[in-house]
Amino acid sequence: MDHLLHTLFQDNTELPGKIYEFCRQNPRFCQAEQEFKAIDRLAAEKLGAELYLELESAQMNYMAHLANVYYLFGLGLRQEVLSALAAEL
């Protein structure tokens, strides 16, 4: 059962492409993406490659976990299910 839930919610290989297609249709998203890329390049230049990669890795890990929780809450899952899934993450 745990494997089934993990596959359903975590291993959906089509999800990133669908999300990207959806976001590309939103002008505000595209603008935010351009602004992010500009400041991202500036941060990389100022921090240096090694520190920047560490920061990026930590931020991506944090955001991935946060996005998973928002996604699961958005599905209206009960707290017991979320706690069970959290043990698998």
Side-chain angles (χ1 to χ4, degrees), residues 2-3 5 7 9 13-14 20 32 36 42 51 54-56 60 63 67 71 84-85 88:
D2 286 343
H3 179 69
L5 290 173
T7 300
F9 296 120
T13 58
E14 295 178 12
Y20 183 76
F36 169 75
L42 181 60
L51 181 56
E54 288 180 34
L55 173 64
E56 182 182 52
M60 290 298 196
M63 294 302 293
Y71 176 71
L85 288 173
E88 296 295 320

Side-chain angles (χ1 to χ4, degrees), residues 6 8 10 13-15 18 26-27 29-30 34 38 40-41 46-48 50-52 55 66 77-78 81 88-89:
H6 182 21
L8 180 62
Q10 304 296 326
T13 58
E14 295 178 12
L15 191 59
K18 297 291 184 187
N26 183 321
F29 173 84
C30 294
Q34 289 174 353
D40 188 58
R41 282 190 296 273
K46 292 198 176 272
L47 292 174
E50 187 176 339
L51 181 56
Y52 175 77
L55 173 64
L66 186 60
L77 297 179
R78 294 177 53 117
V81 174
E88 296 295 320
L89 301 176

Side-chain angles (χ1 to χ4, degrees), residues 48-76:
E50 187 176 339
L51 181 56
Y52 175 77
L53 290 176
E54 288 180 34
L55 173 64
E56 182 182 52
S57 177
Q59 181 182 27
M60 290 298 196
N61 185 40
Y62 168 72
M63 294 302 293
H65 285 286
L66 186 60
N68 282 336
V69 171
Y70 269 90
Y71 176 71
L72 295 173
F73 264 83
L75 292 175

